[in-house]
Amino acid sequence: MNFPMKKSLLALTVSLTTFGTASTFAADTFDLQALIAAAKQEAPLTVYDSTGKIVKQAKSFSKKYGIQATGIKAKASQILEIVSREAKAGNVKADVAILADAPAGMEQLLSKGYVTSWVPSDLAEHIPATYQKPLTVVLAPNIWAYNTGLYDSCPITNIWQLTLPKWQGKVAMQDPLGKPSYTDWFNQLATHHDKAMADAYQAEFGKPLKTNESSATAAFVKALAENHPLVTSSDTEAANAVGAPDVKDSFVGMVSAAKFRNNKNGMKLGLCADMVPFSGWSYPGLGFITTGTKSPNAAKLFIHYMMTAEGIAPQGVDGKMSTNQTVKLPANEPSGIDKVRDQIMGYDASTAKSDWESRQDWQDLWSLSFKN
């Protein structure tokens, strides 16, 4: 998707002014070498992310540019608290935050001016507009999976099959009551893809969906909860229920693409390709620069680095996909998700506020419907 250069330069100029005059910026028109030179005059960089890979990425950045950067792994909730607390105290230590909780990040940080979003203008034409306001650095897929030791191919072809008696108690997934990204998934489905959910119902059962719920998605969530899924406290537990080599029970489940790396140790996870309407969904890692950073150019340079194939590579092996469409997943990525990229529901940040405000409603629907 093309991104008009005039607009991207304007966005860059605007973003530069949001940091104030505490530090001198590189030229308004993007010049990577000028940005590097300016970044080298600034204080060391501190970067937060929810993956431990950020430690390696920060070290590689430091080696490449000669700019000291420290990567720190923290949960999204911890990053939110750190950035908010530092902003309120006027004592900003964090410079860059890659945040995996989009609704919270937009409502608790961006809307309050604690952080800004910056899109590198030299890469903007390769980043879909959906992922530019704010900048989504990476998409982390959650995909329907099965055990390749028990099946030659995925036994599920339509999401509504998960509500059938055959799969009662046989669907493994993290508990939506403890994993807000799952309620965001529900809300994104209802907001942007509810017709696809209704069409999937008709394709499976041969008749239109009739429900008293507010949407086809809500009807699905209720039916899934009533079918006694195996809810887990971690992604690892869900993956083990589905793909452990000694599993005799026939489970399918929703797991992170990152868990497929354990196949080299005997796990037997397979991706459910060609499911209707989607084979999975992805949650975004938003790239934020703190408003009070003392290293604005270095922060911008780090964001730019993360949007390149070299910068995102450590996360690519876990199936995490750059929003820069010129960046492909490595050939040895174990899930094979790159081949079904168009079957994964993306995240539309334009309705993140709705995701944030409706979390409790989706949790209430789940908890009232769930059968122990």
Side-chain angles (χ1 to χ4, degrees):
M1 181 176 295
N2 292 324
F3 190 81
M5 183 58 70
K6 184 176 180 181
K7 289 186 178 180
S8 64
L9 292 180
L10 176 60
L12 174 58
T13 303
V14 171
S15 70
L16 295 180
T17 64
T18 61
F19 292 106
T21 58
S23 179
T24 302
F25 277 85
D28 286 359
T29 54
F30 189 83
D31 183 331
L32 181 59
Q33 294 308 312
L35 183 62
I36 294 170
K40 288 185 175 180
Q41 304 303 312
E42 297 175 341
L45 204 60
T46 300
V47 182
Y48 285 90
D49 198 342
S50 297
T51 172
K53 298 294 178 66
I54 196 62
V55 176
K56 179 178 180 180
Q57 288 170 296
K59 288 180 179 179
S60 297
F61 171 86
S62 298
K63 184 176 181 180
K64 180 179 180 69
Y65 293 113
I67 298 170
Q68 184 180 339
T70 300
I72 300 174
K73 177 185 178 181
K75 293 180 179 179
S77 57
Q78 294 172 318
I79 298 172
L80 284 163
E81 181 180 355
I82 291 168
V83 174
S84 297
R85 186 175 64 244
E86 291 180 356
K88 291 176 182 177
N91 185 28
V92 175
K93 302 295 185 183
D95 302 293
V96 175
I98 310 297
L99 194 65
D101 190 333
M106 293 180 69
E107 291 299 306
Q108 296 186 334
L109 299 181
L110 190 62
S111 68
K112 295 181 179 180
Y114 297 161
V115 297
T116 59
S117 173
W118 175 75
V119 179
S121 59
D122 63 325
L123 302 177
E125 66 177 312
H126 305 302
I127 305 169
T130 303
Y131 299 127
Q132 294 195 28
K133 296 181 179 181
L135 176 67
T136 297
V137 172
V138 66
L139 296 167
N142 292 270
I143 47 186
W144 291 110
Y146 69 102
N147 190 306
T148 58
L150 299 177
Y151 297 97
D152 293 330
S153 61
C154 183
I156 299 293
T157 58
N158 186 308
I159 196 170
W160 285 93
Q161 292 168 2
L162 301 171
T163 68
L164 296 173
K166 176 183 178 180
W167 294 101
Q168 186 174 39
K170 300 294 186 181
V171 179
M173 59 186 287
Q174 289 190 77
D175 190 345
L177 300 183
K179 191 71 172 177
S181 60
Y182 275 61
T183 59
D184 296 342
W185 166 41
F186 298 157
N187 200 61
Q188 286 273 316
L189 271 174
T191 303
H192 300 288
H193 307 286
D194 204 62
K195 183 179 185 302
M197 289 294 288
D199 289 346
Y201 179 94
Q202 182 156 357
E204 179 62 27
F205 298 113
K207 59 183 180 181
L209 172 67
K210 293 184 178 180
T211 178
N212 293 323
E213 300 300 325
S214 60
S215 64
T217 301
F220 166 75
V221 170
K222 183 176 188 292
L224 178 62
E226 289 177 339
N227 211 30
H228 193 192
L230 173 65
V231 292
T232 65
S233 59
S234 73
D235 206 38
T236 297
E237 291 177 2
N240 287 339
V242 175
D246 57 348
V247 163
K248 298 296 190 292
D249 288 334
S250 174
F251 275 88
V252 294
M254 175 64 72
V255 302
S256 165
K259 295 305 173 183
F260 281 67
R261 66 189 174 211
N262 294 326
N263 281 357
K264 65 182 180 182
N265 299 322
M267 286 282 280
K268 298 190 179 297
L269 290 171
L271 187 157
C272 288
D274 301 313
M275 271 188 66
V276 176
F278 298 108
S279 291
W281 57 281
S282 57
Y283 65 88
L286 303 182
F288 289 136
I289 298 175
T290 56
T291 303
T293 176
K294 297 178 178 63
S295 305
N297 290 295
K300 288 169 60 188
L301 185 61
F302 190 86
I303 291 290
H304 187 279
Y305 176 71
M306 289 288 283
M307 296 305 299
T308 65
E310 178 184 357
I312 203 63
Q315 295 189 34
V317 296
D318 288 339
K320 294 184 178 180
M321 303 180 292
S322 174
T323 58
N324 179 346
Q325 294 186 315
T326 67
V327 177
K328 304 302 180 183
L329 291 178
N332 62 345
E333 191 280 317
S335 76
I337 196 168
D338 207 28
K339 298 176 182 178
V340 297
R341 197 184 275 242
D342 61 343
Q343 299 175 24
I344 306 301
M345 188 194 84
Y347 184 86
D348 189 336
S350 68
T351 56
K353 184 177 180 66
S354 172
D355 297 341
W356 174 253
E357 293 175 344
S358 66
R359 280 180 172 179
Q360 187 61 55
D361 294 335
W362 287 109
Q363 288 180 339
D364 288 347
L365 176 62
W366 182 270
S367 61
L368 289 172
S369 306
F370 186 79
K371 304 297 183 182
N372 291 313

